[in-house]
Amino acid sequence: MLFYLIGFNINFIKKEGGHIAFNSKQLADQLLATIASQKNNPSAKRSQAFMGTENFILTYLGEHPDNATPREISQRFNITVARVSTVLKHLEAKQLITRTINPADKRKFIFALTDLGKQKVTELSQNRYNDLIDLVDYLGEEDAKDYIRILKKLAVRNA
């Protein structure tokens, strides 16, 4: 069973007319099982913490210091404006962001990072970078290059 979860089962391949064909459904099942098995992995839990909505929004605010509105954030992350507003309130309560009235439209607000928020974004960025270094070290050069190649291929497919 463990080999099924993390290994490649040769039974998933069958020869047809001189070429190799994959059973996509079985491979998809194997991929889902592998992903599910990662939920209890300490590094996966750490990565999930770094990738929370608050952290995504903090990073976005760092990249868009002059014009970050809840609607723009909502569109960027494909989440509701209500969810964005809730997260912004939490970040404001933690003193990571400030809220100012939009001079172009007094009914709207613009959000920006505080100095503490900027420190948090720097810390998050460094932690993500360190995790990537750890991942590359663990995979080794060949597997890391394969992983990058596959991610690029997926990015083109999803574009």
Side-chain angles (χ1 to χ4, degrees):
M1 181 67 174
L2 180 61
F3 183 72
Y4 174 79
L5 289 175
I6 61 171
F8 184 76
N9 188 336
I10 197 68
N11 295 326
F12 290 164
I13 301 177
K14 54 186 174 191
K15 291 202 176 206
E16 292 181 3
H19 71 279
I20 296 176
F22 293 92
N23 183 325
S24 297
K25 183 183 179 326
Q26 287 180 330
L27 285 174
D29 290 344
Q30 181 182 357
L31 180 60
L32 285 173
T34 302
I35 291 169
S37 73
Q38 295 299 308
K39 289 182 180 177
N40 295 325
N41 181 316
S43 71
K45 287 181 180 179
R46 193 171 61 248
S47 292
Q48 289 167 0
F50 291 139
M51 296 189 314
T53 306
E54 284 189 6
N55 295 336
F56 279 132
I57 290 176
L58 279 174
T59 301
Y60 182 85
L61 291 173
E63 294 169 353
H64 301 85
D66 299 328
N67 61 352
T69 65
R71 180 162 307 286
E72 291 165 352
I73 296 168
S74 167
Q75 291 170 344
R76 169 62 178 90
F77 295 108
N78 197 27
I79 56 178
T80 66
V81 174
R83 174 70 181 136
V84 171
S85 295
T86 299
V87 172
L88 290 171
K89 286 178 187 173
H90 288 282
L91 294 172
E92 195 172 13
K94 293 178 180 179
Q95 299 180 342
L96 297 172
I97 63 170
T98 59
R99 173 192 313 245
T100 57
I101 295 174
N102 185 337
D105 185 345
K106 305 284 187 215
R107 299 169 298 166
K108 297 181 180 179
F109 294 98
I110 295 176
F111 295 86
L113 295 174
T114 62
D115 288 340
L116 184 61
K118 290 175 186 174
Q119 289 174 355
K120 179 73 171 175
V121 169
T122 299
E123 175 187 318
L124 289 169
S125 296
Q126 188 61 52
N127 288 340
R128 277 186 287 232
Y129 188 71
N130 289 341
D131 281 350
L132 288 175
I133 291 171
D134 289 345
L135 176 66
V136 169
D137 286 345
Y138 174 75
L139 291 175
E141 183 177 1
E142 183 178 338
D143 285 344
K145 286 179 178 179
D146 285 343
Y147 183 61
I148 292 166
R149 178 187 54 78
I150 291 166
L151 288 177
K152 286 179 179 179
K153 186 174 185 176
L154 291 172
V156 170
R157 177 179 186 239
N158 296 327

